[in-house]
């Protein structure tokens, strides 16, 4: 008999607890899109997704932002394969756009310690944008160690390791359509 995949364990065996349903995520993203639309009307922001985790969220979010906007991506790594943040952030892929004088929205999947956004804040402020704001689907307020403001937050969650909807464990489970707690 073949071994069950991690995906099957979550989806079919009820192995993990559902934290956010597809419906809940969809409703919240629609609201966030509406808010960003209002706040940026008359401007043309550049939304920069932080790979890999934010790709799904960003794809869904921009379809609810009803103004002209550009997209780009940056890839950073802070975790390696562990469940706890290493605290060391490395840039694996830079953006291509020139962002000087632009309105930047950085789109994250989750803010945990805040190490990643601290790194991104420093990097992008040095490029002299017209403005810089952060968007995240999830935040773990109990863990955050930085006072950089996060302007758009989807959901505040407890200090638990979550997977799905872009978020991985050892690079898999990003394709789960909802967010699950991995106990
Ligand atoms: P931070 O730098 O500690 O804020 O960590 C941010 C990054 O760690 C996120 O962009 C995720 O890639 C990853 N991360 C933090 N918490 C989780 C989690 O619960 N599940 C999956 N990835 C996580
Ligand atoms: Mg990430």
């Amino acid at each position: 008999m073949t071994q069950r995949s991690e995906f099957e364990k979550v989806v079919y065996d009820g192995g993990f607890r559902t934290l956010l349903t597809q419906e809940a995520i969809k409703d919240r993203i629609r609201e966030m899109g509406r808010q960003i639309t209002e706040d940026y009307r008359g401007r043309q922001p550049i939304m920069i997704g932080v790979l890999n985790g934010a790709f799904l969220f960003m794809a869904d979010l921009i379809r609810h932002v009803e103004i002209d906007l550009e997209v780009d991506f940056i890839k950073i790594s802070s975790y390696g394969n562990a469940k706890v943040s290493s605290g060391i952030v490395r840039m694996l892929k830079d953006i291509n756009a020139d962002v000087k004088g632009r309105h930047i929205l950085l789109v994250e999947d989750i803010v945990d310690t805040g190490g990643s956004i601290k790194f991104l804040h420093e990097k992008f402020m040095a490029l002299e944008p017209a403005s810089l704001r952060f968007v995240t689907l999830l935040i773990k307020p109990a863990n955050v160690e930085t006072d950089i403001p996060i302007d758009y937050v989807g959901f505040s969650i407890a200090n638990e390791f979550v997977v799905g909807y872009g978020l991985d464990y050892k690079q898999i489970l990003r394709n789960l359509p909802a967010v699950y707690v991995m106990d």
Side-chain angles (χ1 to χ4, degrees), residues 50-54 76 78-79 82-87 89 108-118 138 140 143-144 146 157-158 160-164 166-169 174 180:
V50 183
L51 297 172
N52 288 333
I76 60 171
S78 65
Y79 262 48
K83 269 192 188 178
V84 283
S85 188
S86 67
V89 180
E108 267 280 18
D109 52 355
I110 187 165
V111 177
D112 184 6
T113 64
S116 301
I117 60 157
K118 190 163 171 283
L138 307 174
K140 297 179 186 171
N143 277 9
V144 180
T146 165
I157 66 170
E160 296 174 306
F161 195 80
V162 291
V163 292
L167 292 134
D168 73 302
Y169 174 60
R174 294 188 198 275
Y180 296 84

Side-chain angles (χ1 to χ4, degrees), residues 44-123:
Q44 184 172 313
I46 177 160
M47 295 181 72
I48 300 175
V50 183
L51 297 172
N52 288 333
F55 78 107
L56 266 185
F57 170 47
M58 174 122 151
D60 286 341
L61 178 65
I62 62 169
R63 279 178 276 190
H64 294 288
V65 180
E66 300 179 345
I67 53 169
D68 290 338
L69 60 86
E70 294 171 43
V71 301
D72 206 336
F73 293 93
I74 187 169
K75 183 166 182 172
I76 60 171
S77 151
S78 65
Y79 262 48
N81 274 339
K83 269 192 188 178
V84 283
S85 188
S86 67
I88 301 155
V89 180
R90 286 185 306 142
M91 188 171 66
L92 305 176
K93 178 211 168 294
D94 204 348
I95 54 162
N96 296 107
D98 178 5
V99 294
K100 187 170 179 177
R102 302 295 309 277
H103 295 287
I104 302 177
L105 276 161
L106 276 164
V107 183
E108 267 280 18
D109 52 355
I110 187 165
V111 177
D112 184 6
T113 64
S116 301
I117 60 157
K118 190 163 171 283
F119 171 89
L120 293 166
H121 186 263
E122 258 166 49
K123 176 191 160 54

